[in-house]
Amino acid sequence: LPLMAMNVDDSSPESYLKFVKLLRTFRVSGDALLLRVRSDSIIPDTTNRERTGLSAEHVHYIATLIQTDGFSPRVGTKGHDVPVLVRECPATQTGLLSLSRWRDTLENSTKGLFPPCTLHADCNCFYTSLGNGHFTQAMNLHRHNCSSIFTSKPYDASLHRDKQLAHALEEGVPALVLDGSRLAVPDRKFISLMLNSTHHMPRWNVLENGELNLEGEQFFAGDDGNDDDETEPRVSQFEALSKVLDAEELSALVRTKLGIDVDEAKSGYKSRL
């Protein structure tokens, strides 16, 4: 599937309005509520991050934060980001390509670098992630008790007695689910580009009844340059960069942040897995 590079002005109101319209138009059944989806039924969408895939270092970094700080469920504007997923039931050509590429990535990577994929090659019902792919696979590291590439110790969810994490692994996390049978490849690409620009976009608000407020009125108010204005949530430079870099650049960013030995990384962390 040829996919041309797409330039998006992610800071413009027009782009954000188009983004919201696409999410509302292609939501599964037009339901206003979020749907819980388990992480072991989710793989990265092939249109995300210019097809460079996921950064193993960033996946393990998020898994480490979950282990040390505890799992934070989404409540209002706090907690983990809301995953935006494409339902592939039955699987589309793009969905099957995503599954094939993810399985190839795992086959060609050091065993344990990423969590295993439990979806069979001919699976005909699964989800792809347009955003939050690293978070999803970090959850799977905990699900499968994989070892950390930083410490060699396993992410054993049962040992930490984190009830919030246990619930998220068993029941899934609330996600905005789109209908893959109706969502064109260019629209998938546009949505993924917008999702990877959260440092420009408003923080979504999850209401008590599970409805997702997508309007983001603060987004249109503009920025007067006053850093003391807290009407719009701010993110760290690291978080902002982690959204827009490709997999290799993001891995380098995490290695720099954590002081990881470059030779260790080049070996695929074989000494730690």
Side-chain angles (χ1 to χ4, degrees):
L1 288 177
L3 187 63
M4 301 297 291
M6 180 183 295
N7 294 319
V8 174
D9 181 3
D10 51 32
S11 62
S12 73
E14 292 77 15
S15 290
Y16 189 76
L17 288 173
K18 176 183 176 181
F19 169 71
V20 171
K21 182 178 180 180
L22 287 172
L23 295 184
R24 294 196 185 283
T25 299
F26 294 107
R27 290 185 79 160
V28 170
S29 301
D31 198 341
L33 301 181
L34 300 178
L35 305 178
R36 284 191 173 272
V37 181
R38 284 172 52 112
S39 60
D40 54 353
S41 66
I42 304 171
I43 60 169
D45 195 277
T46 190
T47 64
N48 199 2
R49 289 187 184 269
E50 301 294 343
R51 294 185 169 184
T52 62
L54 301 183
S55 159
E57 283 88 347
H58 196 49
V59 171
H60 280 265
Y61 176 68
I62 295 174
T64 300
L65 291 180
I66 293 174
Q67 180 170 317
T68 56
D69 300 339
F71 180 80
S72 299
R74 183 58 179 256
V75 179
T77 60
K78 306 297 183 181
H80 64 77
D81 287 346
V82 177
V84 177
L85 309 176
V86 179
R87 186 176 69 177
E88 294 286 348
C89 294
T92 65
Q93 184 180 4
T94 305
L96 291 175
L97 179 61
S98 298
L99 179 57
S100 174
R101 287 188 170 175
W102 182 237
R103 289 175 61 87
D104 286 345
T105 295
L106 301 185
E107 183 176 343
N108 295 321
S109 301
T110 302
K111 184 177 180 181
L113 195 59
F114 290 104
C117 177
T118 55
L119 302 175
H120 298 294
D122 58 352
C123 182
N124 205 35
C125 189
F126 54 92
Y127 299 83
T128 64
S129 58
L130 296 180
N132 279 97
H134 289 90
F135 166 75
T136 297
Q137 297 310 316
M139 294 286 286
N140 284 334
L141 287 175
H142 283 272
R143 179 183 301 281
H144 296 289
N145 297 334
C146 298
S147 295
S148 167
I149 62 174
F150 308 134
T151 67
S152 300
K153 297 180 180 179
Y155 301 106
D156 191 342
S158 63
L159 294 179
H160 305 302
R161 294 186 175 86
D162 187 330
K163 293 182 179 179
Q164 300 281 15
L165 175 59
H167 182 264
L169 291 174
E170 181 64 29
E171 302 295 334
V173 300
L176 193 158
V177 180
L178 308 177
D179 184 354
S181 67
R182 299 189 297 125
L183 189 62
V185 171
D187 289 335
R188 292 187 190 220
K189 180 64 176 176
F190 178 83
I191 292 171
S192 70
L193 286 172
M194 291 297 291
L195 289 170
N196 287 332
S197 303
T198 54
H199 53 295
H200 288 313
M201 293 163 54
R203 186 78 166 170
W204 295 354
N205 186 25
V206 180
L207 306 180
E208 290 185 2
N209 65 355
E211 184 176 350
L212 185 63
N213 178 6
L214 295 170
E215 298 301 337
E217 294 178 0
Q218 290 294 335
F219 180 76
F220 302 105
D223 189 345
D224 60 5
N226 183 359
D227 291 337
D228 294 331
D229 183 5
E230 297 183 356
T231 59
E232 185 174 350
R234 305 292 183 179
V235 298
S236 68
Q237 184 181 34
F238 177 84
E239 183 178 350
L241 286 172
S242 72
K243 298 292 185 180
V244 298
L245 299 179
D246 66 27
E248 288 298 324
E249 294 168 334
L250 181 52
S251 291
L253 179 69
V254 175
R255 290 196 296 268
T256 300
K257 180 179 179 66
L258 300 181
I260 297 173
D261 182 80
V262 174
D263 290 335
E264 184 74 44
K266 287 182 178 179
S267 73
Y269 299 94
K270 291 180 181 179
S271 66
R272 303 187 183 184
L273 295 172

